[in-house]
DNA sequence: ATAAATGCAAATAGTTTGCATGCCC
DNA sequence: GGGCATGCAAACTATTTGCATTTAT
């Protein structure tokens, strides 16, 4: 076995390529979500010939394969992060600071949805907006 | 007083126009969120000369004025709905059916966030995805 | 060898902007 | 009448697609 991601792809008849490796490694090291543009810029440092089309295609592909996760944050654009532990985001609408929220906190809410609506919730990712402690003191609501 | 929305705009030095009235009326009658494109198409039936630029400008303006609310749903595009009661959405990822979720259900979650993170949450709108009761029987997870 | 993946370039979708004209108050 | 708002057209951003070439297996 070469590495888990490579094996995962090969077992499905797909290939591991330098471009895919670079994107995975960028997301692993980022430790936070990145936009396609941010990813593209970092890619060019490792692979100068890489194009935006490849970034988008690769992100879609890796999402299908479950290796990365897309998330909606403000301004309606998708951002991506490495698929590891389940969590959600809390974003400060004043300073933009992002915090992770563990999935467990949402479990009881999902439970209530299930009971009152019959829906089986499977949102992988939800983003909440608010004011972080620091900004609550400086920003006028 | 002519109507509440008109008064609201005039009191701020803005004007009520046929275009704004049509968009507000479309959103009131829709009873659900609509995309800019859907709004544009319905506008043209009432005001054939209307352009997409005006739709976008008007939606941004009405959002600033608090008369309509933007919401993120799947695929990263913004949709709009009339500003009335606070609620959230539950969308079936199989059939696309949308259900409203009362804001009260999220209050206790917000409370927990507040305690454990210090954030003051003010998300006006959160969308959850899942499977509606009907689709749970027909769709393979 | 062969099918998958990339690079390149062009196309598409969604949204925003500048500017002259029109129209609400 | 004065200034806000619209229509028109063009610009812009983000993303997708077709096709020839390259490359992982």
């Amino acid at each position: 076995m070469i590495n888990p991601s490579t094996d995962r792809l090969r077992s499905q008849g797909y290939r591991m390529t330098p471009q895919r490796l670079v994107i995975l490694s960028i997301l692993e090291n980022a430790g936070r979500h990145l936009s396609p543009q941010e990813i593209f810029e970092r890619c060019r440092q490792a692979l100068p010939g890489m194009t935006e089309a490849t970034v988008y295609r690769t992100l879609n592909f890796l999402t299908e394969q479950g290796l990365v996760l897309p998330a909606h944050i403000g301004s309606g654009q998708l951002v991506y992060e490495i698929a590891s532990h389940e969590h959600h985001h809390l974003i400060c609408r004043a300073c933009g600071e992002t915090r992770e929220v563990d999935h467990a906190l949402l479990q009881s809410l999902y439970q209530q949805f299930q009971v009152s609506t019959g829906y089986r919730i499977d949102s992988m990712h939800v983003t909440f907006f608010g004011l972080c402690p620091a900004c609550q003191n400086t920003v006028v609501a």
Side-chain angles (χ1 to χ4, degrees), chain A residues 19-60:
Chain A
Q19 292 83 351
R20 289 174 180 176
L21 269 177
V22 164
I23 288 186
L24 285 171
S25 135
I26 285 170
L27 289 175
E28 265 156 24
N29 294 322
R32 64 177 185 90
H33 49 233
L34 296 175
S35 69
Q37 278 69 230
E38 288 174 309
I39 294 167
F40 173 64
E41 284 155 21
R42 299 186 188 200
C43 278
R44 299 209 60 141
Q45 293 169 19
L47 297 173
M50 198 156 169
T51 60
E52 278 166 305
T54 299
V55 172
Y56 282 105
R57 262 187 303 222
T58 302
L59 289 172
N60 285 335

Side-chain angles (χ1 to χ4, degrees), chain A residues 84-132:
Chain A
S84 49
H85 60 304
E86 274 192 47
H87 65 274
H88 306 265
H89 287 133
L90 204 51
I91 299 181
C92 177
R93 65 171 163 76
C95 69
E97 186 207 59
T98 301
R99 262 187 87 122
E100 291 190 4
V101 173
D102 197 84
H103 184 66
L105 258 178
L106 291 182
Q107 283 299 15
S108 69
L109 181 72
Y110 287 0
Q111 197 70 36
Q112 282 181 278
F113 282 165
Q114 203 125 322
V115 171
S116 62
T117 68
Y119 265 63
R120 187 201 306 154
I121 308 293
D122 61 8
S123 308
M124 285 283 81
H125 198 105
V126 178
T127 301
F128 295 88
F129 294 88
L131 281 181
C132 72

Side-chain angles (χ1 to χ4, degrees), chain A residues 59-80:
Chain A
L59 289 172
N60 285 335
F61 172 80
L62 294 176
T63 298
E64 282 167 17
Q65 300 308 311
L67 295 174
V68 306
L69 292 173
H72 293 279
I73 59 169
S75 75
Q77 291 169 227
L78 281 180
V79 292
Y80 294 84

Side-chain angles (χ1 to χ4, degrees), chain A residues 6-19:
Chain A
T6 301
D7 290 343
R8 178 109 150 242
L9 296 190
R10 289 191 185 163
S11 69
Q12 308 283 330
Y14 300 112
R15 298 170 188 173
M16 182 52 82
T17 64
Q19 292 83 351

